[in-house]
Amino acid sequence: MDTIARRYLAIFLACVLAALALVSAVNYHVDPYLLHQWDSPLLQRLRPTTEKLSVWGKTYAVARYRPAVVYIGNSRTEMGLPTGVRALFDGKSVFNSAVSGASIGEAIRLAEHAARVSHVDTMVWGIDAPSFSLELGSAGVEPGLTAAGPAFFARRALLNIKRGLTVDMTRDTWRILSGSYDGVCLSSLALHGQRDESCLTSRNRTWTGTARAFTPRLQEFGDGLGPTAPALQAFDASVGKLCRGGTRLRLYINPTHALTLDALYWRGKWGAMEAWQRDLAQLAGRYRRLGCNVRLYDFSGFNSITSEAIPQVTGARAMRYYWEASHYRDNVGRFILARLFGGPVPPPADFGVELTENGIAAHQTAVRAARERYHAQHAEETAYLRHVLTLPREPE
């Protein structure tokens, strides 16, 4: 009896293992999340607006593509910096390796991964004060995706096979095979890492949409955990590592809408933000003196781009420069790249200031004065922001 039971158990376990192997093999082949694709016909497959496991696809693609120019950052950089600008970089390959929801800790891991798997000539890195923290973001940068060591592709294949055993991947594989995947836009991999604009303009979008997205984005920005001292130390070490590898670095503070920076003011975080900028300017200056080609630019604040009137005031359905308060369009990204590297269309004169140790004090004084002018000239926007942040009304 025991022999028969053991035989049935062995047969049962063998069937289970065979079924799991079949599921994983099918998921690996269909690859609904494009975990191991580059220059593949699968990149042209339309997908839903929400891009699942984007960081899996990007860490693999950057290792296959081995670009000379890499963008790093969170969703602002991912959506805003265009990749079809090879002429700016003498025809060199460009890849946008920024991922939505990345904290600075996750961005550091992505930057160092890119430098390991490719000879990165130039890295363009977008940063923000609220996300400048080592707290885990929502990007999903699992350790195995960026781990150093030999045989990267073999290790990734094992990770992808393991991921193929999950229920969500199996469900989406079935949706593709059954023709019910509801694809509306391309993967960012089809655009060398930049988010497809069709994902943002689709009627099925869930978090963009100009007017309705302003309130949650402003609250999110004002409530961010950064900047923190441990994050600055980790960033300093990472910049040093990249500099020693010969990478040209262009660091820039994202041009989120003026109301986002004002949210930091009303939340009592202005002083911390200015101290962070001073620390970054000192960091860049120190590495320049050591021979590193690094520059730091500030595109935030109250300038002709960031102070665009908001839909709550104009009644317009869309903005010229912004998707909503937190994310800028790629026409702004082209201005950023033009300020950093030159280009046929120069940016507005007041958009983008290089932060240096000698110039940071004057710059911050000018930004504070611009903030007060903004309050006076944009009273309706200021009142709206205070309402969003649930602050008491100012005395008349």
Side-chain angles (χ1 to χ4, degrees):
M1 190 71 173
D2 289 342
T3 301
I4 295 174
R6 284 196 295 271
R7 183 180 303 163
Y8 276 119
L9 180 60
I11 293 172
F12 173 76
L13 290 176
C15 290
V16 169
L17 290 175
L20 291 175
L22 178 62
V23 168
S24 183
V26 171
N27 286 343
Y28 188 92
H29 176 71
V30 176
D31 198 6
Y33 305 145
L34 305 179
L35 306 186
H36 56 97
Q37 306 296 325
W38 180 249
D39 196 20
S40 158
L42 290 184
L43 299 186
Q44 303 306 314
R45 181 174 65 206
L46 294 180
R47 57 187 300 132
T49 56
T50 300
E51 189 163 295
K52 296 180 182 179
L53 301 185
S54 171
V55 69
W56 284 64
K58 287 194 170 185
T59 50
Y60 182 90
V62 76
R64 283 291 186 201
Y65 186 38
R66 303 188 67 195
V69 180
V70 173
Y71 304 158
I72 294 293
N74 52 31
S75 58
R76 298 171 187 107
T77 297
E78 182 183 35
M79 293 165 60
L81 280 198
T83 54
V85 290
R86 295 182 63 160
L88 285 179
F89 304 104
D90 299 322
K92 294 177 181 177
S93 52
V94 180
F95 188 79
N96 191 327
S97 200
V99 292
S100 178
S103 66
I104 195 63
E106 291 170 319
I108 287 170
R109 289 164 63 181
L110 293 172
E112 294 182 1
H113 167 71
R116 275 195 300 269
V117 299
S118 177
H119 179 69
V120 179
D121 173 76
T122 300
M123 186 170 288
V124 185
W125 195 333
I127 54 178
D128 310 280
S131 65
F132 208 85
S133 164
L134 296 182
E135 293 291 325
L136 187 64
S138 59
V141 187
E142 299 180 23
L145 300 179
T146 58
F152 170 79
F153 292 109
R155 289 184 284 110
R156 270 304 299 267
L158 291 175
L159 278 177
N160 293 342
I161 290 170
K162 180 180 177 182
R163 191 64 179 77
L165 294 172
T166 59
V167 173
D168 64 326
M169 194 167 178
T170 303
R171 184 185 301 116
D172 284 328
T173 292
W174 171 250
R175 291 172 62 200
I176 289 172
L177 295 176
S178 65
S180 59
Y181 198 47
D182 190 30
V184 297
C185 57
L186 292 171
S187 163
S188 61
L189 297 183
L191 302 173
H192 293 83
Q194 185 185 4
R195 187 76 64 86
D196 183 4
E197 190 170 302
S198 298
C199 294
L200 310 176
T201 56
S202 167
R203 288 179 298 175
N204 298 327
R205 66 189 184 274
T206 57
W207 60 273
T208 57
T210 307
R212 66 178 180 174
F214 253 79
T215 294
R217 294 301 160 201
L218 288 170
Q219 291 171 335
E220 175 187 74
F221 203 89
D223 293 340
L225 296 174
T228 65
L232 184 65
Q233 294 170 3
F235 185 68
D236 190 328
S238 185
V239 168
K241 188 180 299 184
L242 293 166
C243 283
R244 288 190 293 274
T247 300
R248 175 175 64 162
L249 283 167
R250 292 297 178 266
L251 314 173
Y252 75 95
I253 300 173
N254 276 303
T256 52
H257 193 273
L259 287 178
T260 58
L261 204 64
D262 209 25
L264 299 183
Y265 169 71
W266 294 112
R267 284 284 191 226
K269 298 181 177 182
W270 189 273
M273 182 272 296
E274 287 194 330
W276 171 71
Q277 289 184 346
R278 290 193 294 271
D279 289 337
L280 290 174
Q282 291 170 3
L283 179 155
R286 172 161 41 88
Y287 282 112
R288 274 200 303 277
R289 288 191 291 275
L290 293 174
C292 181
N293 188 346
V294 57
R295 292 288 187 273
L296 167 68
Y297 285 79
D298 183 13
F299 292 94
S300 68
F302 305 85
N303 54 60
S304 57
I305 299 294
T306 61
S307 297
E308 181 181 4
I310 65 175
Q312 284 80 355
V313 172
T314 65
R317 293 175 61 91
M319 298 176 70
R320 179 181 181 184
Y321 297 126
Y322 288 90
W323 294 107
E324 22 70 12
S326 184
H327 297 87
Y328 48 92
R329 295 174 179 263
D330 69 0
N331 54 358
V332 177
R334 291 180 186 278
F335 285 148
I336 292 172
L337 293 174
R339 177 67 71 203
L340 298 180
F341 303 104
V345 181
D350 66 343
F351 185 63
V353 175
E354 183 173 5
L355 300 188
T356 65
E357 293 170 283
N358 292 333
I360 185 68
H363 171 67
Q364 291 183 338
T365 298
V367 173
R368 288 193 293 270
R371 183 193 67 209
E372 297 309 309
R373 288 196 300 272
Y374 185 85
H375 290 166
Q377 297 169 4
H378 297 263
E380 193 171 351
E381 282 102 326
T382 302
Y384 162 72
L385 175 62
R386 291 176 60 82
H387 173 74
V388 165
L389 300 178
T390 62
L391 297 171
R393 292 183 60 184
E394 291 184 287
E396 297 181 2

